């Protein structure tokens, strides 16, 4: 599991409230990613990070922001949650192996926005 | 639209049978990867095939890649009930000279495989 944890694992919130999801890794990997998974869409990249304070947008970044102030933590923030952001959110790291660019995923956070 | 499109969307077979899933993509790639997801869990990396490879094996898994057709297939032989899961292909797009991919992957929508005991 590459030492990846996500918190919270489940969250129910109301429209308009801010929400922060946390991804924590214990293996000092440089690259980290946030995805959302919805039926019919597979996994879509929201934001990614290639180092401390180095982040960039993915395919579906509108309404999301991220921060990475230290290597082990990558935070995903929904500034004002909307019902369309109800989804399962996965964090992943890129682990350096013989076959580069394999990604290892956390257990996911199920977010419901009412 | 998704880089990887998978076919079929769902597959139901009996234990012992082979399962074949297909993936098509649109752009040039460095490699293509297959992942598995059990219900309610995160994705698990299964196998990676580079753009200069045509076939790769890992245990009961066989992956083929046809870059001229921009397609790949995953074959699971002698399936077991424990293989029941969703399977996703993911592509690592080739970036122009001087560019950096940052390891970004584009996932297909997945194939739901059900193996009946």
């Amino acid at each position: 599991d590459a030492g990846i944890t996500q918190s919270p694992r489940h969250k129910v919130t109301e429209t308009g409230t801010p929400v922060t999801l946390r991804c924590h890794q214990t293996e000092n990997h440089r690259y980290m990613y946030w995805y959302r998974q919805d039926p019919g869409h597979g996994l879509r990249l929201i934001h990614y990070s290639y180092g401390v304070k180095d982040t960039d947008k993915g395919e579906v970044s509108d309404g999301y922001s991220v921060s990475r102030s230290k290597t082990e933590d990558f935070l995903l923030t929904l500034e004002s949650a909307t019902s369309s952001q109800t989804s399962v959110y996965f964090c992943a790291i890129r682990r350096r192996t013989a076959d580069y660019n394999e990604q290892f995923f956390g257990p996911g956070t199920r977010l419901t926005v009412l | 639209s998704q880089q990887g499109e998978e076919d079929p969307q769902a597959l139901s077979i009996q234990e012992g049978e082979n399962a074949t899933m297909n993936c098509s993509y649109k752009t040039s790639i460095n490699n293509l990867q297959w992942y598995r997801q059990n219900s309610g869990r995160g994705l698990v990396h299964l196998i990676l095939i580079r753009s200069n490879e045509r076939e790769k094996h890992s245990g009961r898994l066989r992956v083929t890649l046809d870059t001229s057709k921009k397609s790949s297939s995953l074959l699971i032989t002698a399936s077991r009930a424990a293989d029941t899961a969703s399977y996703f292909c993911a592509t690592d797009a080739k970036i122009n000279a001087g560019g950096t991919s940052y390891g970004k992957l584009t996932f297909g929508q997945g194939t739901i495989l059900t193996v009946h005991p």
Side-chain angles (χ1 to χ4, degrees):
Chain A
D1 63 0
I4 305 169
T5 58
Q6 293 185 231
S7 59
R9 294 293 313 281
H10 301 271
K11 186 171 182 66
V12 179
T13 190
E14 294 188 351
T15 298
T17 60
V19 176
T20 295
L21 308 182
R22 179 182 184 235
C23 177
H24 179 79
Q25 55 136 333
T26 60
E27 298 185 354
N28 205 37
H29 296 287
R30 178 182 174 191
Y31 292 87
M32 299 183 75
Y33 311 85
W34 274 109
Y35 294 90
R36 61 178 288 174
Q37 185 176 30
D38 305 288
H41 290 279
L43 271 78
R44 292 180 291 174
L45 181 65
I46 305 171
H47 280 278
Y48 63 99
S49 171
Y50 46 97
V52 173
K53 299 191 189 307
D54 291 323
T55 65
D56 205 349
K57 297 178 180 180
E59 179 187 356
V60 289
S61 59
D62 287 349
Y64 302 94
S65 62
V66 290
S67 66
R68 192 162 178 208
S69 59
K70 45 186 179 177
T71 300
E72 57 265 37
D73 289 325
F74 191 30
L75 304 181
L76 176 70
T77 297
L78 292 65
E79 300 290 347
S80 178
T82 67
S83 59
S84 65
Q85 293 176 311
T86 292
S87 186
V88 181
Y89 291 85
F90 288 99
C91 172
I93 59 93
R94 170 181 159 181
R95 178 186 274 173
R96 186 184 299 272
T97 65
D99 283 329
Y100 59 94
N101 196 22
E102 295 177 13
Q103 291 190 14
F104 292 82
F105 286 78
T109 294
R110 184 173 295 276
L111 175 67
T112 302
V113 183
L114 301 176
Chain B
S1 62
Q2 290 286 318
Q3 163 79 322
E5 298 294 335
E6 294 177 69
D7 168 59
Q9 292 187 353
L11 181 61
S12 181
I13 59 174
Q14 295 295 127
E15 224 171 18
E17 295 180 341
N18 296 340
T20 299
M21 289 158 267
N22 303 297
C23 170
S24 61
Y25 58 92
K26 296 177 179 153
T27 65
S28 296
I29 61 172
N30 291 315
N31 62 70
L32 184 144
Q33 304 176 31
W34 286 89
Y35 288 79
R36 165 191 169 132
Q37 183 181 36
N38 288 86
S39 181
R41 307 289 294 274
L43 277 71
V44 175
H45 183 270
L46 292 176
I47 193 167
L48 178 152
I49 186 166
R50 291 188 171 92
S51 60
N52 61 353
E53 298 176 312
R54 292 297 167 256
E55 186 170 315
K56 198 164 183 179
H57 296 257
S58 177
R60 293 185 296 112
L61 304 180
R62 171 178 171 256
V63 173
T64 61
L65 179 65
D66 186 335
T67 53
S68 67
K69 295 181 179 178
K70 291 186 168 58
S71 67
S72 174
S73 67
L74 171 67
L75 169 66
I76 304 173
T77 60
S79 63
R80 306 166 181 168
D83 294 327
T84 294
S86 294
Y87 293 82
F88 296 87
C89 67
T91 51
D92 175 11
K94 185 183 291 291
I95 304 297
N96 292 334
T100 302
S101 73
Y102 298 107
K104 292 184 290 182
L105 297 178
T106 302
F107 286 82
Q109 296 179 14
T111 292
I112 301 171
L113 173 65
T114 303
V115 182
H116 299 281

